[in-house]
Amino acid sequence: MNLSRRGFLATGAAAAGMRAVPQAAKPNGRRILTLVYDKALGMMRAVERVVP
């Protein structure tokens, strides 16, 4: 998959929008943000998970 600059910015904007969701809609817990290399995209991406 060839990700263009516009697609990358759109992905970043969508991720930022998810962070803006009210906290009441998200489960409580500790968030862990990890950067992983995605071979399919050929770039690093952030993976966020919630740990109770």
Side-chain angles (χ1 to χ4, degrees), residues 23-24 26-30 50-52:
Q23 294 298 322
K26 289 190 173 185
N28 292 335
R30 186 172 160 191
V50 179
V51 178

Side-chain angles (χ1 to χ4, degrees), residues 10-32:
T11 303
M18 289 295 294
R19 300 282 298 183
V21 173
Q23 294 298 322
K26 289 190 173 185
N28 292 335
R30 186 172 160 191
R31 291 188 182 143
I32 298 181

